[in-house]
Amino acid sequence: MQSYDVTVETSAPPSAVWSLLLDARSWPTWSAVDALETGQSQGLSVDGRDEVGAVRAFRTGKVVTKERITALEPGRRFAYEGVENPQLSDYRAAIDLVELPSGGTRIRWHGTYSARWGMRWFMRRYLRQFMGRMAAGLAEHAAKAG
């Protein structure tokens, strides 16, 4: 198994970060994904509050990946697993939120996965950078919105 682990901080409160994580439709505005593919997703909430079991299909470039929400601890932990990904298997990730004394939030985005043998070195580097952009975008957007 391989892994990534990125941490960023934002001036936004955990509630602002949390609302962005729950709303799959917001992800293309703050993250490194290009679009939410609603036709390939399942169980999306109309009010932007997806629940455990919802499958979100995100497109980045020409690649569509599907992820299922596996755990929600409001304001603290958002966990998901890969359902369909052409490059990874056994993908599990979590986004942990910790309120800072200043009122902001520490965001820790971490995950484990298996990559095909010939892609392991590439995926290790790529995912650290990609997930770093995801976390930074979340932090920046939450600060503007919150």
Side-chain angles (χ1 to χ4, degrees), residues 120-140:
R120 289 180 188 160
W121 66 271
F122 173 77
M123 291 308 292
R124 180 180 300 124
R125 173 184 245 173
Y126 174 78
L127 275 179
R128 281 189 185 137
Q129 292 175 351
F130 186 85
M131 300 317 287
R133 289 195 325 266
M134 296 284 285
L138 175 60
E140 291 168 19

Side-chain angles (χ1 to χ4, degrees), residues 46-133:
V46 294
D47 66 358
R49 295 186 180 134
D50 293 340
E51 297 182 6
V52 170
V55 175
R56 300 155 150 206
F58 293 111
R59 181 180 49 75
T60 305
K62 294 180 181 180
V63 177
V64 174
T65 59
K66 295 180 181 179
E67 300 165 345
R68 177 182 300 112
I69 298 173
T70 57
L72 296 173
E73 295 175 33
R76 292 195 325 239
R77 183 163 232 244
F78 180 99
Y80 61 97
E81 65 185 1
V83 173
E84 189 176 306
N85 188 314
Q87 304 299 329
L88 307 176
S89 60
D90 302 319
Y91 179 51
R92 300 208 184 331
I95 304 159
D96 295 315
L97 308 177
V98 175
E99 186 168 8
L100 299 171
S102 63
T105 307
R106 178 174 297 118
I107 302 166
R108 179 180 176 227
W109 201 320
H110 54 103
T112 59
Y113 60 93
S114 294
R116 293 181 303 173
W117 186 81
M119 293 294 290
R120 289 180 188 160
W121 66 271
F122 173 77
M123 291 308 292
R124 180 180 300 124
R125 173 184 245 173
Y126 174 78
L127 275 179
R128 281 189 185 137
Q129 292 175 351
F130 186 85
M131 300 317 287
R133 289 195 325 266

Side-chain angles (χ1 to χ4, degrees), residues 14-24 26-27 30 48-49 97 145:
S15 60
V17 178
W18 186 253
S19 67
L20 291 173
L21 290 172
L22 284 184
D23 185 1
S26 79
W27 285 47
W30 56 261
R49 295 186 180 134
L97 308 177

